[in-house]
Amino acid sequence: MKNSVKEQKMAHIDPKKGFKIHLFVFALTVPVLWLTWLLTDQTYLWPLWQNAAWASGVLFHYLGVYVFKNKTAVPRILASVLAFTSFTSFASCSSTDETQNDKPQTYVLVHGAWQAPYVWDEVKANLIKNGNQVIVVELPGHGKDNTPTQNLSLNLYRDKVIEAISKANGKVVLVGHSMGGMVVTAVAESIPSKISRLVYIGAFLPASGQAIADLAKTDPDSQLGPTLIEAADHLTLDVKSDELTRLFINDGTDAAKQKVKDNYRAEPAIPFSNAVTLTQNFGSVEKVYIKTLQDIVISPRLQDQMISKAGIKTIYEINSSHSPFLSQPKAVSDLLIQVGKQI
């Protein structure tokens, strides 16, 4: 009686049908993968060379069903084990490929006017915590740098960033904020092959022939202009002390606002009038813009105009003031990590 029940259960198992389904899925899927590779120069789900592992699984499946069907149990079990091993090898590479897509990036961070490298501290820590490398550039005439103000220029800023990038292995994600947008634009024009992504955060994004002064004149919504105080020698610009945090970090904590006050320096004026000349070099670099929606230094309206003129398609938004890396550092680092994953 027990043998009869066992035979009835066995009758429902059709190894040949299982093999045919396996073969059909294999034959249907592999051409699609190769076609995708040919059309996009990318692999999806797993590396294409792992098709060989799957093919081995199909072969051993065939051996187990047809060649060893009338043999002893040992070779059939061995064939099944080999088929399973080959298939799991193929399947596991899907996870491996996803990990490779999340490979670490090197981020080069460029601060803006009236600021210095300290503004990136928390973003830098978050990026490093996620396995990335980070280079923070101190522009001449900012932070602890004492280059004479009369010697400063946009080209000098550009060269400082290029020097920093030269120390990195491979391409970098170049990030510029505010005035730093002008700097990274000039860098991209000079060394486009070293930049995998060019990221603007609430930054000036010029067209060829434009300077910051030109762009600022087109931004009636900006509240920065009336607060500026020009030095007698015309070499620096100050922001009225009682307006500094309202303009730059109105949504920040008291500690963040105090940090901005403690690190304040007058801004060199000459680079504001230096224009950039752009060619296809700059045009060849893929760009990303992160808008700062509560910005009253570079207004969202001007940001939209610059984005449109530059033809940028990848756009993110942070509901922040002009300095989101101080008021919302995790939001900034999360977006930068997201940008890195798309490379």
Side-chain angles (χ1 to χ4, degrees):
M1 181 69 178
K2 290 182 179 179
N3 290 338
S4 176
V5 172
K6 184 176 180 180
E7 289 175 359
Q8 289 178 359
K9 290 182 178 179
M10 291 290 290
H12 292 291
I13 301 174
D14 188 349
K16 293 182 179 181
K17 185 176 181 180
F19 170 75
K20 290 177 181 177
I21 293 173
H22 188 183
L23 181 62
F24 174 76
V25 173
F26 175 77
L28 186 65
T29 304
V30 170
V32 173
L33 294 175
W34 281 98
L35 182 62
T36 301
W37 180 79
L38 288 171
L39 294 177
T40 67
D41 196 30
Q42 297 186 52
T43 56
Y44 292 88
L45 302 181
W46 57 84
L48 292 176
W49 60 265
Q50 286 286 348
N51 290 162
W54 192 3
S56 298
V58 173
L59 174 62
F60 288 121
H61 193 171
Y62 171 82
L63 293 175
V65 172
Y66 292 96
V67 177
F68 299 131
K69 63 177 181 178
N70 295 322
K71 307 296 182 181
T72 62
V74 173
R76 294 187 67 180
I77 293 173
L78 179 60
S80 299
V81 169
L82 290 172
F84 177 76
T85 302
S86 299
F87 183 79
T88 52
S89 174
F90 129 78
S92 67
C93 64
S94 172
S95 174
T96 301
D97 198 39
E98 287 181 10
T99 301
Q100 291 173 344
N101 285 342
D102 293 347
K103 65 181 180 180
Q105 302 292 333
T106 298
Y107 294 86
V108 177
L109 309 178
V110 182
H111 64 81
W114 296 285
Q115 295 185 340
Y118 77 90
V119 300
W120 297 111
D121 286 350
E122 290 188 59
V123 171
K124 176 183 177 180
N126 289 339
L127 292 174
I128 292 175
K129 183 179 179 181
N130 280 271
N132 301 287
Q133 295 184 337
V134 180
I135 299 172
V136 179
V137 180
E138 181 177 71
L139 295 177
H142 296 77
K144 298 178 181 179
D145 183 89
N146 293 312
T147 303
T149 309
Q150 65 270 22
N151 295 339
L152 297 175
S153 67
L154 181 61
N155 286 345
L156 193 63
Y157 293 171
R158 175 201 64 195
D159 293 344
K160 185 65 179 288
V161 177
I162 291 175
E163 179 185 0
I165 292 175
S166 70
K167 299 174 183 178
N169 294 322
K171 294 186 175 185
V172 304
V173 179
L174 180 57
V175 183
H177 168 251
S178 194
M179 176 270 292
M182 291 290 298
V183 181
V184 299
T185 297
V187 172
E189 173 63 28
S190 297
I191 53 169
S193 62
K194 286 287 292 180
I195 303 169
S196 58
R197 290 294 186 279
L198 187 58
V199 183
Y200 295 83
I201 302 179
F204 286 110
L205 171 51
S208 185
Q210 284 187 317
I212 286 180
D214 300 319
L215 288 168
K217 292 175 182 176
T218 68
D219 191 6
D221 297 333
S222 173
Q223 298 180 31
L224 175 63
T227 73
L228 295 180
I229 304 170
E230 186 175 14
D233 60 7
H234 308 294
L235 291 178
T236 60
L237 291 168
D238 269 299
V239 177
K240 292 179 181 178
S241 59
D242 59 344
E243 295 281 12
L244 182 64
T245 57
R246 182 185 74 84
L247 288 167
F248 286 91
I249 186 173
N250 194 42
D251 57 339
T253 63
D254 290 340
K257 291 177 180 178
Q258 190 60 49
K259 186 179 291 188
V260 170
K261 293 178 181 178
D262 293 343
N263 289 276
Y264 176 81
R265 281 183 62 175
E267 181 66 22
I270 293 174
F272 283 6
S273 61
N274 295 158
V276 291
T277 299
L278 304 177
T279 67
Q280 182 53 37
N281 284 353
F282 173 71
S284 67
V285 180
E286 189 162 346
K287 304 167 187 69
V288 176
Y289 202 104
I290 300 176
K291 294 176 57 180
T292 42
L293 299 183
Q294 302 300 320
D295 202 326
I296 56 175
V297 174
I298 301 177
S299 73
R301 180 161 65 168
L302 177 59
Q303 292 178 43
D304 285 336
Q305 291 172 357
M306 295 185 295
I307 289 168
S308 177
K309 289 181 179 179
I312 296 179
K313 302 302 181 185
T314 305
I315 305 163
Y316 300 102
E317 297 179 345
I318 297 180
N319 191 28
S320 76
S321 64
H322 190 58
S323 305
F325 33 74
L326 290 172
S327 61
Q328 300 184 43
K330 187 177 185 304
V332 173
S333 53
D334 285 350
L335 284 178
L336 292 179
I337 290 169
Q338 185 175 339
V339 169
K341 288 181 178 181
Q342 296 170 355
I343 298 173

